[in-house]
Protein backbone atom coordinates (compact mmCIF):
# COMPACT_ATOMS: atom_id res chain seq x y z
CA UNK A 1 0.00 0.00 0.00
CA UNK A 2 1.08 3.50 -0.69
CA UNK A 3 2.81 5.20 2.23
CA UNK A 4 3.39 8.84 2.86
CA UNK A 5 7.06 9.86 3.04
CA UNK A 6 8.28 13.18 4.24
CA UNK A 7 12.06 13.79 4.23
CA UNK A 8 12.56 10.06 3.87
CA UNK A 9 10.56 9.23 7.00
CA UNK A 10 7.47 7.05 6.72
CA UNK A 11 4.65 8.82 8.48
CA UNK A 12 2.32 6.76 10.64
CA UNK A 13 -1.30 6.76 9.59
CA UNK A 14 -3.36 8.20 12.43
CA UNK A 15 -7.07 7.67 11.91
CA UNK A 16 -10.22 8.55 13.80
CA UNK A 17 -13.94 8.95 13.29
CA UNK A 18 -16.02 11.66 14.91
CA UNK A 19 -19.72 11.63 15.69
CA UNK A 20 -21.73 14.48 14.16
CA UNK A 21 -23.34 15.33 17.47
CA UNK A 22 -24.19 19.02 17.19
CA UNK A 23 -22.60 21.95 18.90
CA UNK A 24 -19.03 21.44 19.95
CA UNK A 25 -17.91 22.08 23.49
CA UNK A 26 -14.61 22.67 25.27
CA UNK A 27 -14.46 19.02 26.35
CA UNK A 28 -14.62 17.88 22.71
CA UNK A 29 -12.01 20.39 21.69
CA UNK A 30 -9.36 19.84 24.36
CA UNK A 31 -10.13 16.14 24.76
CA UNK A 32 -10.02 15.14 21.13
CA UNK A 33 -10.08 17.72 18.36
CA UNK A 34 -6.99 19.71 19.25
CA UNK A 35 -5.13 16.42 19.69
CA UNK A 36 -6.26 15.22 16.26
CA UNK A 37 -5.41 18.50 14.61
CA UNK A 38 -1.92 18.42 16.14
CA UNK A 39 -1.40 14.98 14.67
CA UNK A 40 -1.62 16.38 11.16
CA UNK A 41 1.77 18.10 11.54
CA UNK A 42 3.84 14.94 11.95
CA UNK A 43 1.58 12.13 10.74
CA UNK A 44 -0.58 11.02 7.87
CA UNK A 45 -3.92 12.00 9.38
CA UNK A 46 -7.15 10.35 8.21
CA UNK A 47 -10.26 11.73 9.84
CA UNK A 48 -13.95 11.48 9.03
CA UNK A 49 -17.42 12.34 10.29
CA UNK A 50 -19.28 9.12 11.05
CA UNK A 51 -22.75 9.83 9.70
CA UNK A 52 -23.42 6.11 9.00
CA UNK A 53 -22.84 5.43 12.69
CA UNK A 54 -25.09 8.37 13.58
CA UNK A 55 -27.98 6.64 11.79
CA UNK A 56 -28.16 4.27 14.74
CA UNK A 57 -29.40 7.14 16.92
CA UNK A 58 -30.42 10.17 14.83
CA UNK A 59 -33.69 9.60 13.03
CA UNK A 60 -34.46 13.12 11.75
CA UNK A 61 -32.96 13.58 8.31
CA UNK A 62 -32.59 17.38 8.46
CA UNK A 63 -30.82 17.12 11.79
CA UNK A 64 -28.37 14.55 10.48
CA UNK A 65 -27.64 16.61 7.37
CA UNK A 66 -27.10 19.78 9.37
CA UNK A 67 -24.97 18.13 12.06
CA UNK A 68 -22.79 16.42 9.47
CA UNK A 69 -21.92 19.57 7.55
CA UNK A 70 -21.59 21.54 10.78
CA UNK A 71 -19.12 19.04 12.21
CA UNK A 72 -17.01 19.36 9.06
CA UNK A 73 -17.12 23.17 9.17
CA UNK A 74 -16.12 23.10 12.85
CA UNK A 75 -13.13 20.88 12.13
CA UNK A 76 -11.91 23.08 9.29
CA UNK A 77 -12.48 26.20 11.42
CA UNK A 78 -10.42 24.81 14.27
CA UNK A 79 -7.42 24.16 12.08
CA UNK A 80 -7.86 20.89 10.24
CA UNK A 81 -6.03 21.48 6.98
CA UNK A 82 -7.45 19.63 3.96
CA UNK A 83 -4.03 19.94 2.27
CA UNK A 84 -2.17 18.20 5.07
CA UNK A 85 -4.70 15.54 5.97
CA UNK A 86 -7.41 13.38 4.48
CA UNK A 87 -10.78 14.46 5.81
CA UNK A 88 -14.11 13.16 4.58
CA UNK A 89 -17.70 12.28 5.38
CA UNK A 90 -18.05 8.55 6.06
CA UNK A 91 -20.99 8.01 3.68
CA UNK A 92 -19.01 9.49 0.77
CA UNK A 93 -16.87 6.34 0.80
CA UNK A 94 -19.56 3.63 0.82
CA UNK A 95 -16.99 0.85 0.29
CA UNK A 96 -16.86 0.83 4.08
CA UNK A 97 -20.28 -0.87 4.08
CA UNK A 98 -19.12 -3.66 1.82
CA UNK A 99 -16.13 -4.33 4.02
CA UNK A 100 -18.42 -4.33 7.07
CA UNK A 101 -20.16 -7.30 5.50
CA UNK A 102 -16.90 -9.06 4.74
CA UNK A 103 -15.65 -8.51 8.29
CA UNK A 104 -18.91 -9.61 9.87
CA UNK A 105 -17.99 -13.13 8.81
CA UNK A 106 -15.02 -13.32 11.14
CA UNK A 107 -16.70 -12.11 14.33
CA UNK A 108 -18.94 -14.17 16.56
CA UNK A 109 -22.22 -12.84 17.93
CA UNK A 110 -20.97 -13.54 21.46
CA UNK A 111 -18.44 -10.76 21.11
CA UNK A 112 -21.06 -8.26 19.98
CA UNK A 113 -23.42 -9.36 22.77
CA UNK A 114 -20.76 -8.36 25.27
CA UNK A 115 -20.20 -4.86 23.85
CA UNK A 116 -20.70 -2.52 26.79
CA UNK A 117 -21.86 0.48 24.77
CA UNK A 118 -24.58 -1.67 23.21
CA UNK A 119 -25.55 -3.14 26.59
CA UNK A 120 -25.64 0.37 28.13
CA UNK A 121 -28.00 1.59 25.46
CA UNK A 122 -30.24 -1.43 25.92
CA UNK A 123 -30.34 -0.84 29.67
CA UNK A 124 -31.37 2.80 29.07
CA UNK A 125 -34.35 1.45 27.18
CA UNK A 126 -33.09 2.50 23.73
CA UNK A 127 -34.58 -0.12 21.45
CA UNK A 128 -31.76 -1.88 19.66
CA UNK A 129 -31.83 -2.02 15.90
CA UNK A 130 -29.36 -4.22 14.05
CA UNK A 131 -27.35 -1.12 13.17
CA UNK A 132 -26.68 -0.46 16.83
CA UNK A 133 -25.74 -4.09 17.33
CA UNK A 134 -23.27 -4.20 14.48
CA UNK A 135 -21.88 -0.71 15.20
CA UNK A 136 -18.49 -2.18 16.26
CA UNK A 137 -18.07 -3.99 12.94
CA UNK A 138 -18.65 -0.79 11.00
CA UNK A 139 -16.11 0.90 13.25
CA UNK A 140 -13.59 -1.88 12.63
CA UNK A 141 -14.24 -1.48 8.93
CA UNK A 142 -13.61 2.28 9.21
CA UNK A 143 -10.21 1.60 10.65
CA UNK A 144 -9.06 -1.45 8.69
CA UNK A 145 -10.19 -0.30 5.27
CA UNK A 146 -7.95 2.75 5.43
CA UNK A 147 -4.92 1.11 6.98
CA UNK A 148 -5.19 3.04 10.25
CA UNK A 149 -2.14 2.36 12.45
CA UNK A 150 -2.82 4.62 15.41
CA UNK A 151 -6.36 5.40 16.51
CA UNK A 152 -6.84 8.25 18.99
CA UNK A 153 -10.05 7.64 20.92
CA UNK A 154 -11.63 8.33 24.28
CA UNK A 155 -11.61 5.75 27.08
CA UNK A 156 -15.17 4.72 26.25
CA UNK A 157 -13.95 3.29 22.93
CA UNK A 158 -11.43 0.88 24.45
CA UNK A 159 -13.60 -2.18 23.94
CA UNK A 160 -14.44 -1.23 20.36
CA UNK A 161 -10.73 -1.01 19.69
CA UNK A 162 -10.13 -4.46 21.16
CA UNK A 163 -12.85 -5.81 18.90
CA UNK A 164 -11.26 -4.12 15.90
CA UNK A 165 -7.91 -5.71 16.67
CA UNK A 166 -9.59 -9.04 17.16
CA UNK A 167 -11.40 -8.78 13.82
CA UNK A 168 -8.17 -7.83 11.99
CA UNK A 169 -6.25 -10.71 13.58
CA UNK A 170 -8.96 -13.26 12.82
CA UNK A 171 -9.32 -12.06 9.26
CA UNK A 172 -5.57 -12.26 8.69
CA UNK A 173 -5.39 -15.73 10.28
CA UNK A 174 -8.27 -17.03 8.20
CA UNK A 175 -7.49 -15.50 4.82
CA UNK A 176 -3.85 -14.36 4.94
CA UNK A 177 -2.52 -10.99 5.91
CA UNK A 178 -4.56 -8.16 4.47
CA UNK A 179 -5.19 -5.74 7.32
CA UNK A 180 -2.98 -3.78 9.68
CA UNK A 181 -3.73 -4.49 13.35
CA UNK A 182 -4.18 -0.95 14.74
CA UNK A 183 -3.00 0.46 18.05
CA UNK A 184 -5.39 2.56 20.12
CA UNK A 185 -4.12 5.85 21.50
CA UNK A 186 -6.40 6.31 24.47
CA UNK A 187 -6.74 9.80 25.80
CA UNK A 188 -6.07 10.04 29.51
CA UNK A 189 -6.89 13.71 29.89
CA UNK A 190 -10.53 13.98 28.83
CA UNK A 191 -11.95 13.07 32.20
CA UNK A 192 -10.03 15.98 33.64
CA UNK A 193 -12.08 18.48 31.69
CA UNK A 194 -14.85 19.50 34.08
CA UNK A 195 -18.16 20.97 33.07
CA UNK A 196 -20.05 23.79 34.78
CA UNK A 197 -20.95 21.58 37.75
CA UNK A 198 -17.50 20.01 38.18
CA UNK A 199 -18.47 16.62 36.69
CA UNK A 200 -16.89 15.56 33.40
CA UNK A 201 -18.01 17.93 30.64
CA UNK A 202 -20.58 16.03 28.64
CA UNK A 203 -23.73 16.74 26.69
CA UNK A 204 -25.59 14.15 28.69
CA UNK A 205 -24.91 16.04 31.93
CA UNK A 206 -26.03 19.32 30.39
CA UNK A 207 -22.95 21.05 31.80
CA UNK A 208 -21.06 22.00 28.65
CA UNK A 209 -19.47 25.22 27.48
CA UNK A 210 -19.94 25.48 23.71
CA UNK A 211 -17.06 26.84 21.66
CA UNK A 212 -19.13 28.80 19.21
CA UNK A 213 -22.25 30.79 19.92
CA UNK A 214 -23.55 34.24 20.81
CA UNK A 215 -21.21 36.15 23.11
CA UNK A 216 -23.80 36.96 25.77
CA UNK A 217 -25.00 33.38 26.13
CA UNK A 218 -21.42 32.10 26.34
CA UNK A 219 -20.46 34.62 29.02
CA UNK A 220 -23.50 33.52 31.00
CA UNK A 221 -22.32 29.89 30.84
CA UNK A 222 -18.96 30.85 32.32
CA UNK A 223 -20.63 32.86 35.06
CA UNK A 224 -22.60 29.79 36.11
CA UNK A 225 -19.55 27.61 36.88
CA UNK A 226 -19.99 26.23 40.40
CA UNK A 227 -17.66 27.44 43.16
CA UNK A 228 -17.33 27.00 46.90
CA UNK A 229 -18.11 29.93 49.17
CA UNK A 230 -14.51 31.11 49.82
CA UNK A 231 -14.40 34.84 50.51
CA UNK A 232 -12.02 37.39 49.00
CA UNK A 233 -9.66 37.07 51.99
CA UNK A 234 -9.47 33.28 51.71
CA UNK A 235 -7.45 31.10 49.31
CA UNK A 236 -9.32 29.82 46.26
CA UNK A 237 -9.52 26.13 45.54
CA UNK A 238 -7.26 24.70 42.84
CA UNK A 239 -9.80 21.86 42.63
CA UNK A 240 -12.36 24.32 41.32
CA UNK A 241 -13.55 23.78 37.72
CA UNK A 242 -12.47 27.39 37.11
CA UNK A 243 -8.86 26.42 37.81
CA UNK A 244 -8.98 23.29 35.63
CA UNK A 245 -10.70 25.05 32.72
CA UNK A 246 -8.37 28.04 32.89
CA UNK A 247 -5.34 25.72 32.88
CA UNK A 248 -6.38 24.28 29.52
CA UNK A 249 -5.50 27.58 27.88
CA UNK A 250 -2.18 28.09 29.66
CA UNK A 251 1.43 26.95 29.32
CA UNK A 252 2.87 24.97 32.22
CA UNK A 253 4.62 28.06 33.52
CA UNK A 254 1.45 30.12 33.42
CA UNK A 255 -0.44 27.32 35.14
CA UNK A 256 1.99 27.52 38.06
CA UNK A 257 1.51 31.25 38.23
CA UNK A 258 -2.26 30.80 38.25
CA UNK A 259 -1.91 28.30 41.06
CA UNK A 260 -0.03 30.85 43.15
CA UNK A 261 -2.69 33.47 42.48
CA UNK A 262 -5.40 31.02 43.55
CA UNK A 263 -3.64 30.09 46.77
CA UNK A 264 -3.00 33.70 47.79
CA UNK A 265 -6.06 35.43 49.31
CA UNK A 266 -7.36 38.53 47.54
CA UNK A 267 -9.21 37.10 44.54
CA UNK A 268 -12.91 36.77 43.86
CA UNK A 269 -14.32 33.80 41.96
CA UNK A 270 -16.50 36.21 39.98
CA UNK A 271 -13.41 38.07 38.71
CA UNK A 272 -11.68 34.81 37.88
CA UNK A 273 -14.68 33.68 35.84
CA UNK A 274 -14.56 36.94 33.91
CA UNK A 275 -10.84 36.54 33.32
CA UNK A 276 -11.32 32.97 32.14
CA UNK A 277 -14.08 34.05 29.81
CA UNK A 278 -11.87 36.76 28.25
CA UNK A 279 -9.09 34.22 27.78
CA UNK A 280 -11.50 31.79 26.10
CA UNK A 281 -12.92 34.51 23.87
CA UNK A 282 -9.45 35.61 22.70
CA UNK A 283 -8.22 32.04 22.19
CA UNK A 284 -11.03 31.12 19.83
CA UNK A 285 -11.16 34.50 18.05
CA UNK A 286 -9.30 33.45 14.87
CA UNK A 287 -11.28 30.20 14.74
CA UNK A 288 -14.53 32.12 15.08
CA UNK A 289 -13.54 34.32 12.16
CA UNK A 290 -12.61 31.30 10.05
CA UNK A 291 -15.93 29.70 10.91
CA UNK A 292 -17.91 32.81 9.92
CA UNK A 293 -16.09 32.72 6.60
CA UNK A 294 -16.74 29.02 6.00
CA UNK A 295 -20.40 29.32 6.96
CA UNK A 296 -20.69 31.75 4.06
CA UNK A 297 -18.62 29.59 1.70
CA UNK A 298 -20.16 26.16 1.99
CA UNK A 299 -19.31 25.37 -1.64
CA UNK A 300 -15.65 25.55 -0.70
CA UNK A 301 -16.23 23.25 2.29
CA UNK A 302 -18.00 20.72 0.09
CA UNK A 303 -15.16 20.83 -2.43
CA UNK A 304 -12.65 20.07 0.33
CA UNK A 305 -14.79 17.17 1.50
CA UNK A 306 -15.02 15.76 -2.02
CA UNK A 307 -11.25 15.95 -2.36
CA UNK A 308 -10.88 14.09 0.94
CA UNK A 309 -13.39 11.44 -0.10
CA UNK A 310 -11.49 10.85 -3.35
CA UNK A 311 -8.20 10.32 -1.52
CA UNK A 312 -9.84 8.04 1.05
CA UNK A 313 -11.67 6.14 -1.64
CA UNK A 314 -8.53 5.13 -3.48
CA UNK A 315 -7.02 3.72 -0.29
CA UNK A 316 -10.27 1.89 0.47
CA UNK A 317 -10.37 0.40 -3.03
CA UNK A 318 -6.93 -1.16 -2.59
CA UNK A 319 -7.74 -2.77 0.74
CA UNK A 320 -11.16 -3.88 -0.41
CA UNK A 321 -9.80 -5.48 -3.53
CA UNK A 322 -7.18 -7.40 -1.48
CA UNK A 323 -9.86 -8.55 0.97
CA UNK A 324 -12.20 -9.66 -1.85
CA UNK A 325 -9.46 -11.71 -3.50
CA UNK A 326 -8.30 -13.17 -0.20
CA UNK A 327 -11.84 -14.38 0.48
CA UNK A 328 -12.44 -15.82 -2.97
CA UNK A 329 -14.89 -13.28 -4.33
CA UNK A 330 -12.81 -12.71 -7.48
CA UNK A 331 -14.23 -15.83 -9.13
CA UNK A 332 -13.11 -14.74 -12.59
CA UNK A 333 -9.56 -15.60 -11.57
N1 LIG B 1 -17.36 5.03 17.95
C1 LIG B 1 -16.60 6.27 17.91
C2 LIG B 1 -17.18 7.22 18.97
O1 LIG B 1 -18.32 7.14 19.32
C3 LIG B 1 -16.67 6.93 16.57
C4 LIG B 1 -16.00 6.13 15.50
C5 LIG B 1 -16.58 5.54 14.45
C6 LIG B 1 -14.59 5.92 15.38
N2 LIG B 1 -15.64 4.98 13.64
C7 LIG B 1 -14.42 5.16 14.18
C8 LIG B 1 -13.49 6.28 16.15
C9 LIG B 1 -13.14 4.78 13.77
C10 LIG B 1 -12.22 5.89 15.73
C11 LIG B 1 -12.05 5.14 14.53
O2 LIG B 1 -16.47 8.10 19.40
Amino acid sequence: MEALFIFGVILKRVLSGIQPSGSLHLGNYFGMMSRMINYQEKNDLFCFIVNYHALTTIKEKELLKENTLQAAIDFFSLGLDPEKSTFWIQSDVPQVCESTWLLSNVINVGLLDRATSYKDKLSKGISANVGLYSYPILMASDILLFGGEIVPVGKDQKQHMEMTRDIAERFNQTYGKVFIVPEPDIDKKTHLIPGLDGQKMSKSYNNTIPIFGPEKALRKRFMSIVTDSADIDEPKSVESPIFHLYSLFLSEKDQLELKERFIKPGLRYGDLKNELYECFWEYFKPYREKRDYLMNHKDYVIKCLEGGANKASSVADEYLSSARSAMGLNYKG
Side-chain angles (χ1 to χ4, degrees):
M1 305 286 157
E2 176 196 340
L4 193 63
F5 287 89
I6 288 197
F7 306 123
V9 182
I10 301 179
L11 301 187
K12 287 253 185 209
R13 182 158 297 159
V14 177
L15 173 146
S16 197
I18 292 100
Q19 292 277 358
S21 52
S23 80
L24 267 185
H25 57 72
L26 284 182
N28 300 134
Y29 177 74
F30 285 108
M32 187 266 300
M33 292 177 89
S34 65
R35 217 156 59 99
M36 289 291 285
I37 291 166
N38 286 336
Y39 267 124
Q40 79 187 352
E41 302 306 327
K42 294 208 177 83
N43 293 278
D44 180 17
L45 179 65
F46 273 47
C47 185
F48 46 96
I49 306 298
V50 296
N51 58 343
Y52 277 143
H53 278 106
L55 289 175
T56 62
T57 48
I58 303 181
K59 306 294 176 192
E60 299 110 277
K61 83 168 187 189
E62 290 307 326
L63 182 66
L64 182 59
K65 283 164 72 169
E66 200 185 304
N67 281 3
T68 304
L69 190 60
Q70 198 56 60
I73 290 177
D74 287 346
F75 256 86
F76 288 136
S77 308
L78 290 165
L80 191 119
D81 183 343
E83 298 289 321
K84 288 185 186 155
S85 45
T86 307
F87 185 80
W88 73 101
I89 306 294
Q90 189 184 29
S91 66
D92 282 340
V93 186
Q95 295 92 313
V96 78
C97 292
E98 182 178 346
S99 74
T100 301
W101 176 251
L102 303 187
L103 297 174
S104 66
N105 292 288
V106 293
I107 180 167
N108 289 332
V109 285
L111 201 67
L112 294 179
D113 287 338
R114 285 193 295 278
T116 45
S117 63
Y118 160 72
K119 286 199 300 191
D120 281 356
K121 285 189 178 142
L122 277 192
S123 70
K124 282 188 195 135
I126 300 174
S127 78
N129 51 48
V130 177
L132 193 63
Y133 186 64
S134 45
Y135 184 114
I137 318 177
L138 178 57
M139 177 159 161
S141 177
D142 277 339
I143 298 169
L144 304 182
L145 194 62
F146 302 96
E149 296 176 275
I150 298 173
V151 184
V153 280
K155 250 194 348 215
D156 60 330
Q157 298 298 310
K158 192 164 174 248
Q159 193 186 31
H160 286 156
M161 284 307 301
E162 282 159 10
M163 289 172 155
T164 300
R165 289 173 55 87
D166 206 38
I167 292 174
E169 277 160 5
R170 284 202 210 186
F171 187 101
N172 290 347
Q173 268 159 22
T174 313
Y175 299 109
K177 183 165 175 359
V178 171
F179 294 116
I180 294 174
V181 181
E183 294 293 334
D185 173 17
I186 307 234
D187 171 43
K188 293 175 198 77
K189 225 177 55 189
T190 320
H191 68 283
L192 296 177
I193 302 174
L196 299 174
D197 56 358
Q199 293 188 79
K200 176 187 168 188
M201 190 179 290
S202 157
K203 256 200 163 156
S204 48
Y205 298 146
N206 199 13
N207 65 357
T208 62
I209 299 175
I211 295 177
F212 300 115
E215 185 167 6
K216 229 172 134 187
L218 286 173
R219 188 185 281 272
K220 220 169 133 193
R221 295 297 275 178
F222 277 89
M223 291 306 144
S224 69
I225 300 174
V226 291
T227 59
D228 57 33
S229 54
D231 244 345
I232 182 161
D233 53 2
E234 290 173 88
K236 302 293 162 299
S237 167
V238 289
E239 292 309 320
S240 148
I242 305 179
F243 181 81
H244 288 299
L245 290 169
Y246 207 159
S247 300
L248 295 169
F249 297 95
L250 302 177
S251 66
E252 265 177 45
K253 182 172 153 276
D254 291 345
Q255 285 179 24
L256 281 178
E257 218 168 89
L258 184 69
K259 195 168 182 177
E260 280 166 24
R261 289 181 60 215
F262 262 68
I263 293 169
K264 228 163 93 189
L267 292 178
R268 278 196 187 88
Y269 279 127
D271 295 336
L272 285 166
K273 287 182 189 177
N274 258 320
E275 211 181 296
L276 167 58
Y277 171 75
E278 298 298 336
C279 174
F280 156 86
W281 189 256
E282 271 310 298
Y283 182 93
F284 286 107
K285 195 169 173 195
Y287 303 124
R288 214 172 293 123
E289 285 163 4
K290 179 95 187 273
R291 186 167 179 270
D292 288 343
Y293 175 85
L294 294 176
M295 291 294 277
N296 290 316
H297 293 82
K298 290 191 179 148
D299 291 356
Y300 167 74
V301 173
I302 289 171
K303 238 169 93 189
C304 292
L305 291 171
E306 282 168 0
N310 286 339
K311 280 201 271 174
S313 203
S314 58
V315 177
D317 285 341
E318 280 191 54
Y319 274 100
L320 191 54
S321 147
S322 307
R324 287 171 59 105
S325 321
M327 295 176 94
L329 293 170
N330 59 340
Y331 67 94
K332 291 176 205 149

